[in-house]
PDB file of all heavy atoms in Angstrom:
ATOM      1  N   HIS A 291      -7.356   0.717 -14.183  1.00  0.00           N
ATOM      2  CA  HIS A 291      -7.558   0.387 -15.609  1.00  0.00           C
ATOM      3  C   HIS A 291      -8.569   1.345 -16.201  1.00  0.00           C
ATOM      4  O   HIS A 291      -8.325   1.955 -17.289  1.00  0.00           O
ATOM      5  CB  HIS A 291      -8.022  -1.015 -15.727  1.00  0.00           C
ATOM      6  CG  HIS A 291      -8.180  -1.475 -17.148  1.00  0.00           C
ATOM      7  ND1 HIS A 291      -7.245  -2.207 -17.846  1.00  0.00           N
ATOM      8  CD2 HIS A 291      -9.153  -1.278 -18.077  1.00  0.00           C
ATOM      9  CE1 HIS A 291      -7.617  -2.439 -19.076  1.00  0.00           C
ATOM     10  NE2 HIS A 291      -8.809  -1.868 -19.240  1.00  0.00           N
ATOM     11  N   TRP A 292      -9.722   1.507 -15.541  1.00  0.00           N
ATOM     12  CA  TRP A 292     -10.833   2.222 -16.198  1.00  0.00           C
ATOM     13  C   TRP A 292     -10.879   3.753 -15.881  1.00  0.00           C
ATOM     14  O   TRP A 292     -11.473   4.493 -16.656  1.00  0.00           O
ATOM     15  CB  TRP A 292     -12.172   1.599 -15.783  1.00  0.00           C
ATOM     16  CG  TRP A 292     -12.284   0.216 -16.334  1.00  0.00           C
ATOM     17  CD1 TRP A 292     -12.294  -0.960 -15.606  1.00  0.00           C
ATOM     18  CD2 TRP A 292     -12.431  -0.173 -17.702  1.00  0.00           C
ATOM     19  NE1 TRP A 292     -12.374  -2.059 -16.440  1.00  0.00           N
ATOM     20  CE2 TRP A 292     -12.490  -1.617 -17.749  1.00  0.00           C
ATOM     21  CE3 TRP A 292     -12.466   0.517 -18.900  1.00  0.00           C
ATOM     22  CZ2 TRP A 292     -12.610  -2.316 -18.947  1.00  0.00           C
ATOM     23  CZ3 TRP A 292     -12.625  -0.200 -20.131  1.00  0.00           C
ATOM     24  CH2 TRP A 292     -12.657  -1.579 -20.090  1.00  0.00           C
ATOM     25  N   LEU A 293     -10.319   4.161 -14.744  1.00  0.00           N
ATOM     26  CA  LEU A 293     -10.348   5.570 -14.400  1.00  0.00           C
ATOM     27  C   LEU A 293      -9.029   6.296 -14.706  1.00  0.00           C
ATOM     28  O   LEU A 293      -8.981   7.508 -14.825  1.00  0.00           O
ATOM     29  CB  LEU A 293     -10.689   5.762 -12.900  1.00  0.00           C
ATOM     30  CG  LEU A 293     -11.997   5.138 -12.433  1.00  0.00           C
ATOM     31  CD1 LEU A 293     -12.270   5.561 -11.002  1.00  0.00           C
ATOM     32  CD2 LEU A 293     -13.171   5.554 -13.339  1.00  0.00           C
ATOM     33  N   LYS A 294      -7.932   5.554 -14.754  1.00  0.00           N
ATOM     34  CA  LYS A 294      -6.615   6.134 -15.030  1.00  0.00           C
ATOM     35  C   LYS A 294      -5.984   5.673 -16.328  1.00  0.00           C
ATOM     36  O   LYS A 294      -4.924   6.171 -16.728  1.00  0.00           O
ATOM     37  CB  LYS A 294      -5.638   5.890 -13.874  1.00  0.00           C
ATOM     38  CG  LYS A 294      -6.037   6.623 -12.605  1.00  0.00           C
ATOM     39  CD  LYS A 294      -5.018   6.444 -11.488  1.00  0.00           C
ATOM     40  CE  LYS A 294      -5.370   7.265 -10.287  1.00  0.00           C
ATOM     41  NZ  LYS A 294      -4.391   7.106  -9.162  1.00  0.00           N
ATOM     42  N   GLY A 295      -6.605   4.675 -16.974  1.00  0.00           N
ATOM     43  CA  GLY A 295      -6.077   4.245 -18.259  1.00  0.00           C
ATOM     44  C   GLY A 295      -4.790   3.409 -18.181  1.00  0.00           C
ATOM     45  O   GLY A 295      -4.041   3.323 -19.166  1.00  0.00           O
ATOM     46  N   ARG A 296      -4.541   2.780 -17.056  1.00  0.00           N
ATOM     47  CA  ARG A 296      -3.347   1.986 -16.850  1.00  0.00           C
ATOM     48  C   ARG A 296      -3.671   0.534 -17.179  1.00  0.00           C
ATOM     49  O   ARG A 296      -4.682  -0.001 -16.732  1.00  0.00           O
ATOM     50  CB  ARG A 296      -2.820   2.096 -15.448  1.00  0.00           C
ATOM     51  CG  ARG A 296      -2.335   3.516 -15.033  1.00  0.00           C
ATOM     52  CD  ARG A 296      -1.955   3.509 -13.536  1.00  0.00           C
ATOM     53  NE  ARG A 296      -1.550   4.838 -13.140  1.00  0.00           N
ATOM     54  CZ  ARG A 296      -1.347   5.198 -11.902  1.00  0.00           C
ATOM     55  NH1 ARG A 296      -1.493   4.313 -10.899  1.00  0.00           N
ATOM     56  NH2 ARG A 296      -0.929   6.419 -11.598  1.00  0.00           N
ATOM     57  N   ASP A 297      -2.807  -0.162 -17.868  1.00  0.00           N
ATOM     58  CA  ASP A 297      -2.971  -1.568 -18.128  1.00  0.00           C
ATOM     59  C   ASP A 297      -2.441  -2.330 -16.920  1.00  0.00           C
ATOM     60  O   ASP A 297      -1.258  -2.513 -16.721  1.00  0.00           O
ATOM     61  CB  ASP A 297      -2.211  -1.972 -19.380  1.00  0.00           C
ATOM     62  CG  ASP A 297      -2.464  -3.455 -19.734  1.00  0.00           C
ATOM     63  OD1 ASP A 297      -3.203  -4.097 -19.052  1.00  0.00           O
ATOM     64  OD2 ASP A 297      -1.850  -3.900 -20.729  1.00  0.00           O
ATOM     65  N   THR A 298      -3.368  -2.836 -16.087  1.00  0.00           N
ATOM     66  CA  THR A 298      -3.013  -3.570 -14.912  1.00  0.00           C
ATOM     67  C   THR A 298      -3.020  -5.099 -15.142  1.00  0.00           C
ATOM     68  O   THR A 298      -2.770  -5.856 -14.209  1.00  0.00           O
ATOM     69  CB  THR A 298      -4.006  -3.252 -13.762  1.00  0.00           C
ATOM     70  OG1 THR A 298      -5.304  -3.674 -14.158  1.00  0.00           O
ATOM     71  CG2 THR A 298      -3.997  -1.786 -13.440  1.00  0.00           C
ATOM     72  N   GLY A 299      -3.342  -5.507 -16.333  1.00  0.00           N
ATOM     73  CA  GLY A 299      -3.410  -6.943 -16.679  1.00  0.00           C
ATOM     74  C   GLY A 299      -4.758  -7.572 -16.243  1.00  0.00           C
ATOM     75  O   GLY A 299      -4.970  -8.731 -16.594  1.00  0.00           O
ATOM     76  N   LEU A 300      -5.579  -6.802 -15.561  1.00  0.00           N
ATOM     77  CA  LEU A 300      -6.815  -7.364 -15.026  1.00  0.00           C
ATOM     78  C   LEU A 300      -7.739  -7.909 -16.085  1.00  0.00           C
ATOM     79  O   LEU A 300      -8.305  -9.027 -15.987  1.00  0.00           O
ATOM     80  CB  LEU A 300      -7.551  -6.333 -14.174  1.00  0.00           C
ATOM     81  CG  LEU A 300      -8.785  -6.758 -13.478  1.00  0.00           C
ATOM     82  CD1 LEU A 300      -8.451  -7.727 -12.318  1.00  0.00           C
ATOM     83  CD2 LEU A 300      -9.517  -5.558 -12.898  1.00  0.00           C
ATOM     84  N   MET A 301      -7.877  -7.131 -17.169  1.00  0.00           N
ATOM     85  CA  MET A 301      -8.852  -7.524 -18.190  1.00  0.00           C
ATOM     86  C   MET A 301      -8.386  -8.643 -19.068  1.00  0.00           C
ATOM     87  O   MET A 301      -9.151  -9.193 -19.849  1.00  0.00           O
ATOM     88  CB  MET A 301      -9.282  -6.289 -19.039  1.00  0.00           C
ATOM     89  CG  MET A 301      -9.871  -5.188 -18.194  1.00  0.00           C
ATOM     90  SD  MET A 301     -11.198  -5.733 -17.081  1.00  0.00           S
ATOM     91  CE  MET A 301     -12.463  -6.214 -18.278  1.00  0.00           C
ATOM     92  N   ALA A 302      -7.119  -9.040 -18.932  1.00  0.00           N
ATOM     93  CA  ALA A 302      -6.629 -10.207 -19.693  1.00  0.00           C
ATOM     94  C   ALA A 302      -6.877 -11.494 -18.929  1.00  0.00           C
ATOM     95  O   ALA A 302      -6.711 -12.601 -19.461  1.00  0.00           O
ATOM     96  CB  ALA A 302      -5.108 -10.055 -19.941  1.00  0.00           C
ATOM     97  N   GLU A 303      -7.315 -11.389 -17.683  1.00  0.00           N
ATOM     98  CA  GLU A 303      -7.621 -12.550 -16.860  1.00  0.00           C
ATOM     99  C   GLU A 303      -9.005 -13.021 -17.164  1.00  0.00           C
ATOM    100  O   GLU A 303      -9.835 -12.276 -17.698  1.00  0.00           O
ATOM    101  CB  GLU A 303      -7.410 -12.207 -15.386  1.00  0.00           C
ATOM    102  CG  GLU A 303      -6.008 -11.823 -15.067  1.00  0.00           C
ATOM    103  CD  GLU A 303      -5.808 -11.288 -13.654  1.00  0.00           C
ATOM    104  OE1 GLU A 303      -6.806 -11.280 -12.900  1.00  0.00           O
ATOM    105  OE2 GLU A 303      -4.712 -10.832 -13.305  1.00  0.00           O
ATOM    106  N   PRO A 304      -9.348 -14.265 -16.761  1.00  0.00           N
ATOM    107  CA  PRO A 304     -10.728 -14.747 -17.015  1.00  0.00           C
ATOM    108  C   PRO A 304     -11.775 -13.823 -16.450  1.00  0.00           C
ATOM    109  O   PRO A 304     -11.619 -13.259 -15.325  1.00  0.00           O
ATOM    110  CB  PRO A 304     -10.756 -16.113 -16.288  1.00  0.00           C
ATOM    111  CG  PRO A 304      -9.337 -16.547 -16.309  1.00  0.00           C
ATOM    112  CD  PRO A 304      -8.529 -15.303 -16.150  1.00  0.00           C
ATOM    113  N   ALA A 305     -12.859 -13.651 -17.196  1.00  0.00           N
ATOM    114  CA  ALA A 305     -13.893 -12.687 -16.810  1.00  0.00           C
ATOM    115  C   ALA A 305     -14.637 -13.104 -15.540  1.00  0.00           C
ATOM    116  O   ALA A 305     -15.087 -12.267 -14.789  1.00  0.00           O
ATOM    117  CB  ALA A 305     -14.893 -12.518 -17.937  1.00  0.00           C
ATOM    118  N   HIS A 306     -14.755 -14.372 -15.325  1.00  0.00           N
ATOM    119  CA  HIS A 306     -15.613 -14.922 -14.212  1.00  0.00           C
ATOM    120  C   HIS A 306     -14.793 -15.869 -13.325  1.00  0.00           C
ATOM    121  O   HIS A 306     -14.067 -16.727 -13.851  1.00  0.00           O
ATOM    122  CB  HIS A 306     -16.840 -15.585 -14.787  1.00  0.00           C
ATOM    123  CG  HIS A 306     -17.521 -14.810 -15.844  1.00  0.00           C
ATOM    124  ND1 HIS A 306     -17.812 -15.332 -17.084  1.00  0.00           N
ATOM    125  CD2 HIS A 306     -17.938 -13.523 -15.867  1.00  0.00           C
ATOM    126  CE1 HIS A 306     -18.400 -14.426 -17.832  1.00  0.00           C
ATOM    127  NE2 HIS A 306     -18.496 -13.307 -17.110  1.00  0.00           N
ATOM    128  N   ARG A 307     -14.955 -15.703 -12.073  1.00  0.00           N
ATOM    129  CA  ARG A 307     -14.271 -16.541 -11.068  1.00  0.00           C
ATOM    130  C   ARG A 307     -15.302 -16.993  -9.999  1.00  0.00           C
ATOM    131  O   ARG A 307     -15.947 -16.138  -9.399  1.00  0.00           O
ATOM    132  CB  ARG A 307     -13.148 -15.734 -10.396  1.00  0.00           C
ATOM    133  CG  ARG A 307     -12.346 -16.527  -9.389  1.00  0.00           C
ATOM    134  CD  ARG A 307     -11.437 -15.649  -8.566  1.00  0.00           C
ATOM    135  NE  ARG A 307     -10.387 -15.021  -9.374  1.00  0.00           N
ATOM    136  CZ  ARG A 307      -9.104 -15.352  -9.324  1.00  0.00           C
ATOM    137  NH1 ARG A 307      -8.698 -16.323  -8.505  1.00  0.00           N
ATOM    138  NH2 ARG A 307      -8.201 -14.739 -10.054  1.00  0.00           N
ATOM    139  N   PHE A 308     -15.441 -18.292  -9.863  1.00  0.00           N
ATOM    140  CA  PHE A 308     -16.410 -18.826  -8.992  1.00  0.00           C
ATOM    141  C   PHE A 308     -15.731 -19.788  -7.952  1.00  0.00           C
ATOM    142  O   PHE A 308     -14.786 -20.480  -8.294  1.00  0.00           O
ATOM    143  CB  PHE A 308     -17.465 -19.683  -9.709  1.00  0.00           C
ATOM    144  CG  PHE A 308     -18.230 -18.885 -10.742  1.00  0.00           C
ATOM    145  CD1 PHE A 308     -17.911 -19.051 -12.098  1.00  0.00           C
ATOM    146  CD2 PHE A 308     -19.182 -17.997 -10.370  1.00  0.00           C
ATOM    147  CE1 PHE A 308     -18.635 -18.310 -13.070  1.00  0.00           C
ATOM    148  CE2 PHE A 308     -19.898 -17.257 -11.315  1.00  0.00           C
ATOM    149  CZ  PHE A 308     -19.621 -17.428 -12.688  1.00  0.00           C
TER     150      PHE A 308
END
Side-chain angles (χ1 to χ4, degrees):
H291 184 99
W292 295 111
L293 302 187
K294 291 185 176 179
R296 296 176 181 170
D297 184 2
T298 63
L300 183 69
M301 299 311 293
E303 298 171 5
H306 313 125
R307 181 190 294 253
F308 301 104

